[in-house]
């Protein structure tokens, strides 16, 4: 909570700070969901110098838990963050609720992310939501 309240007012945040926030959120979800969640979080080792918009990644992680489905006894979440040359790739997948109407609606969180991406990274990003 402290990070959300006080750490997101800056124009940018270091990627290690954003990764730490994601790790803390994952730990919280593991406590909440106990043994019903498996998370695979792959992160880069060379992220120290990268600055991004604060809280840009978090909504995708939250949505993976919020909109995921327990299949075969587990909610599976996979988060991959890759850095190559001048490219940054962030991918989040989950064991989703297939063929449910809820999955086809986009909420305000994703719309806000799209606006922020366009405002701060105009013509320098690709966003794909499946």
């Amino acid at each position: 909570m402290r990070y959300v309240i006080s750490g997101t007012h800056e124009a940018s945040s270091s990627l290690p700070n954003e990764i730490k926030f994601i790790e803390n959120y994952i730990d919280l979800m593991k406590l909440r969901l106990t043994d019903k969640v498996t998370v695979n979080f792959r992160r880069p080792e060379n992220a120290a110098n990268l600055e991004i918009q604060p809280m840009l990644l978090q909504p995708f992680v939250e949505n993976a838990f919020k909109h995921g489905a327990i299949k075969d006894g587990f909610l599976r979440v996979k988060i991959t963050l890759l850095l190559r040359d001048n490219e940054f790739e962030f991918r989040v997948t989950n064991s989703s609720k297939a063929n449910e109407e809820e999955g086809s609606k986009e909420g305000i969180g994703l719309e806000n992310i799209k606006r922020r991406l366009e405002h701060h990274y105009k013509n320098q990003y690709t966003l794909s939501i499946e």
Side-chain angles (χ1 to χ4, degrees):
M1 287 296 284
R2 184 177 299 124
Y3 180 70
V4 172
I5 293 169
S6 63
T8 60
H9 299 293
E10 300 296 322
S12 65
S13 175
S14 73
L15 187 55
N17 283 346
E18 296 297 307
I19 289 171
K20 185 64 178 166
F21 186 67
I22 290 170
E23 290 170 336
N24 289 340
Y25 183 82
I26 290 169
D27 289 343
L28 182 64
M29 289 296 101
K30 285 180 176 179
L31 286 173
R32 183 177 160 257
L33 298 170
T34 60
D35 59 348
K36 293 181 179 162
V37 64
T38 61
V39 179
N40 180 346
F41 185 15
R42 184 173 160 205
R43 47 193 114 11
E45 295 177 17
N46 58 337
N49 296 327
L50 187 63
E51 295 280 322
I52 64 169
Q53 281 290 296
M55 296 292 293
L56 193 61
L57 308 176
Q58 184 65 21
F60 296 106
V61 176
E62 289 176 8
N63 283 350
F65 287 93
K66 180 179 178 184
H67 299 290
I70 294 176
K71 292 185 177 180
D72 301 324
F74 293 98
L75 166 62
R76 291 174 180 80
V77 176
K78 182 177 180 184
I79 303 165
T80 306
L81 203 156
L82 302 171
L83 299 173
R84 321 185 257 293
D85 302 322
N86 291 327
E87 290 188 10
F88 171 91
E89 181 179 330
F90 184 65
R91 184 178 300 247
V92 181
T93 59
N94 66 358
S95 47
S96 64
K97 301 173 185 176
N99 299 323
E100 287 189 24
E101 215 172 284
E102 178 187 3
S104 64
K105 295 189 300 186
E106 281 192 15
I108 188 110
L110 291 178
E111 195 55 43
N112 285 338
I113 291 295
K114 288 177 183 179
R115 282 191 208 121
R116 289 179 63 205
L117 284 167
E118 188 59 27
H119 178 74
H120 295 286
Y121 301 103
K122 191 172 187 82
N123 300 323
Q124 297 177 23
Y125 74 95
T126 301
L127 177 63
S128 175
I129 300 172
E130 299 173 20

